[in-house]
């Protein structure tokens, strides 16, 4: 069975074809293509929703053609069309949903709406060393920071989450305060390589709260205060020190809470998913702490950390394999811009 996946929830148009063998083996990625809108939004310092929607419209069909050509396949071989139903920008989601349903109607194939975060969560199953259930998941994207216990596809228990900003937001907003532009996370991480994290002392909110919840708003305020104190003619070296200190504070909290979640659940495996999972310092610190505790840590392939169509096709395929998918054959659609994965 071939599943075509379309991702259009924010500023990346992603399309992929995943093949799912009978018998429950992990689905295989046949081809994927991605267009990032970073260059387009850069001038505005952030994502402009209307421009995002229009660009998804321009990209989605050429990307679909490319994926099918790269896979040596054709639309006739597509058995199910999956799309990101939410959460995300309403207009952007509507593009993927509309195209998926139009394709489904034209081909006479069922259509399946996928939860974006479930896509992130399951994306390590496309890596060379896929995890086994159950595991703890640390989901760290631009809009979400959650720790979950994952027993199987669709069986998710929320252990803790952010009470204000997400980890990705903490990276992005701090980067903006430092004048590093958009997208802030990767820019801040690059600058941090040249800094010494111990030069500035920044808070680690809720580090010892005894819960698995996160809070990053106070850190952002502390960064803002530092930026003001340093003034407008701050030297590049101080900026790098501040970037390193900010990254270290975020990473410290994420790693500390992840270890606490592993201890609380007694599980020996953790999966890290979402854009912030691409952060090298986070990976380094998590690897070190997990090695000490004989815990196996899984990441998606770097290219699949941020938004992509492969994770959407994969999540749909894994749900279909387990009989969990609610496919629609009437080709009517709606999108869910705010859609909690659990709770
Ligand atoms: O999962 P994602 O692509 O989109 C959402 O679903 O939100 O995550 C995007 C987030 C952004 O906040 C971005 O700054 C952050 O992931 N990010 C990073 C890195 N790469 C992406 N943050 C820190 N270090 C990185 N290398
Ligand atoms: Zn995402």
């Amino acid at each position: 069975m071939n599943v075509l996946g379309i991702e259009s929830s924010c500023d990346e148009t992603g399309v992929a074809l995943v093949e799912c063998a009978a018998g429950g083996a992990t689905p295989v990625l046949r081809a994927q293509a991605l267009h990032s809108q970073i260059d387009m939004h850069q001038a505005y310092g952030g994502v402009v929703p209307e421009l995002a929607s229009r660009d998804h419209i321009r990209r989605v069909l050429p990307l679909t053609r490319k994926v099918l050509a790269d896979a040596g396949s054709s639309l006739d071989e597509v058995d199910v069309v999956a799309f990101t139903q939410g959460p995300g920008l309403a207009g952007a989601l509507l593009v993927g949903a509309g195209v998926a349903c139009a394709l489904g109607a034209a081909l006479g194939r069922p259509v399946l709406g996928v939860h974006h975060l479930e896509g992130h969560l399951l994306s390590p199953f496309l890596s060379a060393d896929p995890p086994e259930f159950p595991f703890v998941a640390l989901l760290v994207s631009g809009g979400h920071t959650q720790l979950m216990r994952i027993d199987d596809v669709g069986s998710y228990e929320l252990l803790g989450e952010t009470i204000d900003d997400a980890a990705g937001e903490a990276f992005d907003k701090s980067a903006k305060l430092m004048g590093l532009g958009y997208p802030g996370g990767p820019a801040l991480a690059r600058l941090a390589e040249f800094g010494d994290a111990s030069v500035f002392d920044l808070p680690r909110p809720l580090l010892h709260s005894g819960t698995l919840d996160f809070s990053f708003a106070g850190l952002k305020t502390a960064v803002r205060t530092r930026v003001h104190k340093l003034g407008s003619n701050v030297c590049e070296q101080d900026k790098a020190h501040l970037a390193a200190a900010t990254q270290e504070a975020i990473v410290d909290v994420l790693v500390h809470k992840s270890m606490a979640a592993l201890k609380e659940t007694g599980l020996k495996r953790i999966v890290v998913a979402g854009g912030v999972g691409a952060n090298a310092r986070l990976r380094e610190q998590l690897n070190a702490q997990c090695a000490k505790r004989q815990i196996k840590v899984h990441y998606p392939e770097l290219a699949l950390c941020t938004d992509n169509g492969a994770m959407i096709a994969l999540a749909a395929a894994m749900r279909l394999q387990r009989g969990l998918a609610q496919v629609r054959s009437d080709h009517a659609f709606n999108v869910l811009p705010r859609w909690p994965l659990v709770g």
Side-chain angles (χ1 to χ4, degrees), residues 9-12 116-117 120 140-144 167-169 171-172 183-186 189 247 274-280 305-307:
S9 66
C10 189
D11 54 355
E12 254 121 17
H116 180 82
L117 295 181
H120 276 303
V140 272
S141 69
H144 294 82
E169 239 173 322
F171 270 105
D172 293 340
Q247 174 174 264
V276 180
N279 185 268
C305 273
T306 45
D307 294 348

Side-chain angles (χ1 to χ4, degrees), residues 268-340:
K268 291 284 177 196
R269 244 186 310 274
I270 182 164
V271 157
V272 184
V276 180
N279 185 268
R281 183 66 181 155
L282 175 64
R283 289 183 175 217
E284 188 185 357
Q285 291 291 79
L286 261 182
N287 289 347
Q289 293 302 320
C290 288
K292 270 194 210 164
R293 296 167 173 79
Q294 272 110 44
I295 283 161
K296 188 116 200 267
V297 50
H298 294 266
Y299 304 95
E301 303 289 337
L302 263 185
L304 299 186
C305 273
T306 45
D307 294 348
N308 62 85
M311 67 183 196
I312 301 306
L314 171 78
M318 290 181 80
R319 277 198 167 254
L320 288 162
Q321 279 180 324
R322 288 163 175 78
L324 290 173
Q326 292 176 341
V327 288
R328 293 184 70 153
S329 299
D330 60 359
H331 304 113
F333 61 87
N334 65 329
V335 294
L336 303 167
R338 290 176 180 276
W339 180 14

Side-chain angles (χ1 to χ4, degrees), residues 203-256:
R204 274 108 171 109
L206 298 190
L207 187 65
H208 299 295
S209 65
T211 71
L212 296 175
D213 288 333
F214 303 86
S215 164
F216 292 106
L219 173 63
K220 176 190 60 195
T221 309
V223 172
R224 178 181 290 122
T225 308
R226 280 285 168 197
V227 168
H228 282 308
K229 270 194 192 151
L230 288 168
S232 53
N233 48 4
V234 53
C235 69
E236 279 307 304
Q237 188 57 67
D238 275 347
K239 241 181 171 177
H241 290 327
L242 187 56
T246 307
Q247 174 174 264
E248 204 64 15
I250 298 170
V251 166
D252 258 8
V253 177
L254 293 176
V255 173
H256 182 91

